[in-house]
Amino acid sequence: MAFQLICKSKVGRCRNSFLVCFLLTWLSSVAIAKKYEPTNIGAIIDVDSRIGKEQQIALKIAVQGFNDLPSNDQRLVLHFKNNSDNPMQAVSAAEQLIRENQVKVIIGLKTWEQSVMVADVGKGDEVPVLSLASSSNRPLFMQQRWPFLMPMVPNISDQITCISEVIGSYNWRKVVAIYEDNTYAGDSELIAVLSRALQQVDAEIESHLVLPPLSSVPDPEGMIRDEVANLIRSQSRVFVVLRSSLSLASYLFKEAKKIGLMCRDSVWIISNSLSDLLDSVEPSSISYMQGAIGIKNFYSENTAPFQRFKYEFKRNFRAEYPDEHNSEPGIHALRAYDAITAVSKAVMESLNEDNKNHSTSLLRMVQSSNFTGLSGDVRFQGNAISGESVFSIVNVVGKSYKELGFWSPSFSFTNSSLGQSGKANISAVSRVRSMQDLTSLVNWPGELNRIPKGWAMPTDVAPMKIGIPGRTTFDKFVKVDWADWTNNRKEPTGFCIDVFQEALKIVEEEYTLFYEFVPYNGSYDELVDCVYNKTFGAAVGDITILENRSKYVDFTHPFAESGLSMMVKVEQEDHRAWMFMKPFTFNMWVATFSIMFYTMFVVWFMEHQTNPEFRGPWKDQLGTAMWFTFSTLFFAHKEQIRSHYSKAVLVVWLFLVFVLTSSYTASLTSMLTIPRLKPNVTDIEWIRRTNAPVGCDIDSFVKDYVQNVLELKNIETIDSPDSYSMKFDSGNITAAFIELPYQKVFLSEHCNDYTVTGPTYRFGGQGFVFQKGSPIARDFSKAILRLMENGKLEKLQGDLLDSSMNCSSTASDDSKTESLHFESFWGLFLISGSTSTICLLIFVARLWKTKTKWHQNGDVVDHQGGGSKGIKGIVDMVVDLTPYSLRSGSIGRSMGRDGKVAQRWSSSRWDLVSPVDPSEHFQASRGGLKTV
């Protein structure tokens, strides 16, 4: 009994222990189960495409790597849903993942349309959506509309900018945009983004080709063949593939190569939708893309994490998809791996927070991600990934591609290696100005050894049609002989044709231009319109560059200046009776006579003191002085000059006379021998007031300009140079408005009959016309500049005028000899007047000094009771020293006193002896004057 009791007690204790152990084990398992509750992640991808396959393998590797961490108590579980392009399927897949699999985050999605529609589902269930799809332009207020949507791919705008800068580097002006649209036309905004970017480099989209998805058409090859054939109609040969699947691109390039669009000045630029797959594309597909330039997302392959990932990826990819020939990972795999990395970091951080709303916490943690992933830096600004895009510029060659350089918004183009991170050395990269600096590395389509023109170059089968004016007012510029033209297609002649041929020789140093001239009998505006509407590829002739024309076509650099001026008939001036007065202006005559009379006075004053030829009655002295001065004008004076001061004055005066007479003779000779023509009309205002008839070219823009700008209403059209003469002679026109090149030719033949008067209205010059964006226009502009620099163009212009020259000079206002002005001689007048004045002052000072000595010796008595001072004293001194003749034994009479002074002096007993020079000193005495 006791034993039974003991046994029962032991059994009870064991039972209790078992119950305790079971309870403890159950509680522990419940806690462990709660601690290791997995985080479900949904992945919506297209597992049938190459991109989807890479993403799937990358997602598995990332999740497995996280789950295998030894210190990790958390687990991630992937749930895949296959989806192609249908956004509704993506929405259904997202709802199923959220309801059935309880996913906390969704990754993947192929298009931006799928991303935003799934984001609407995620917004309702507060499930973050990490999109791996690119977008052309994200809408405004994206964070407010889809707060749980986080794109892992940068905006495509940086890539479009890179493409536009490549185009601008080579000065290509027109492009053809090609892209594969999805079923819901979600990529149509790509054209608008590209168009805005091209405007920054002065380029435009000539046309665009939208291809439907291959799955939506029964005969994709035939459809693409028909669409690509339409590209032949475009002048542009720069094709930009903005977005395309690999399968569609294979058809596209195959058909393009068949019809010759992969050679002969064609350019193909492919975006990252194809370039990022070049590592995995089959050799048969890449063979059709030879020479294409690709914009590829750059990522560093030299880091240790990438090498580990690459090893795992290739091993898993070969095992999962043994039929795929290439197992290299691309940017899509790297972004998928980085997306899982961002989620795993967010999961670990959110578990440390006591937050009941796990989805909101997870979203916040993902948004705060900041790490360097395999694809580059991963950080978000708002809900979108931020950071600067870096692209590798590649060139498809052989079965693969080669790297040409790099591009980024911060440093533009560079040929330097960007190092391991791709951004660490941005500040130290070697920048280049444009893609042209990398051109030597490019293998162009068709193995072209120069930069492609990017334009449909003419061939010998389809040469460029060049329109030329069939009828011209001045056929020396362009002349078409219709008889010879009809029979054997003879080449046109003229100055413009010669310039074109010389420029063509320079252009053909690089390539051959096949062309044919086509005469056109319309107006010049209509000829330009024919180039605009592509009837002609170009136009050659005397076509003026105007602003309204340049809106629709491209002009070359002008090879001739252009201006508009008024030409009028001239009449020859009769030689008038007073023509001899014309060589000098009125001021010049006044100055000449003034200096002449002043010199006459100075010479007389200094000479009449001692020179008998300048003495006598005042009338005789005046006549002698005037005769002497006038005779010096012809160097015919006979009077002997005694005073040294007079001689100094005459030396300067005679030099002045020599210059004046020489200038006068030359000017008068020119006026009498050169025909003097005067225009019969000089004022355009007079024509406007009187409504006088004027003439202008019938086919040029001049008529509209004269009528609308100059506001002349009575206009007569003229169709030949001879018609101008006939209209002028008959009085049908009073003036003619003619362009500067024609004016020179016309006046060289009628220099004595017409002249140009009034202002010249300038224009842009004359140039050749090409279609808008044509690269040939730039080549001809460079050729024309070279013709200017080497003097060839000037020689052609000289030949044009020499062939028309019928007279030695052109009748214009410039040929008239102008009267000589005082301003041209005032320096000589100043020297002559100054010399005369200085000599006069010195002479008077010497006389004053001489009289002062007489007064001091007491030999001369002042008749007024003493020597007076000041001006009166000087006058008296001059009168007192008036010379007298001793030949007749009596005292001569001084001029101005009429004998009164002589009578006063005759009352004395002094005998005056005329000194040889007034500078000599005299000593007075009662017995006479003795020389000291």
Side-chain angles (χ1 to χ4, degrees), residues 516-528:
E516 62 176 355
F517 287 123
V518 180
Y520 183 76
N521 286 327
S523 66
Y524 282 75
D525 285 334
E526 293 171 345
L527 178 59
V528 173

Side-chain angles (χ1 to χ4, degrees), residues 772-791:
K772 200 73 171 177
S774 170
I776 303 179
R778 297 192 301 271
D779 296 336
F780 268 88
S781 293
K782 295 177 183 177
I784 291 172
L785 289 174
R786 190 190 298 184
L787 292 177
M788 290 180 174
E789 293 170 2
N790 61 23

Side-chain angles (χ1 to χ4, degrees), residues 685-693:
E685 291 295 333
W686 179 86
I687 296 178
R688 190 179 289 118
R689 290 194 307 268
T690 60
N691 196 29

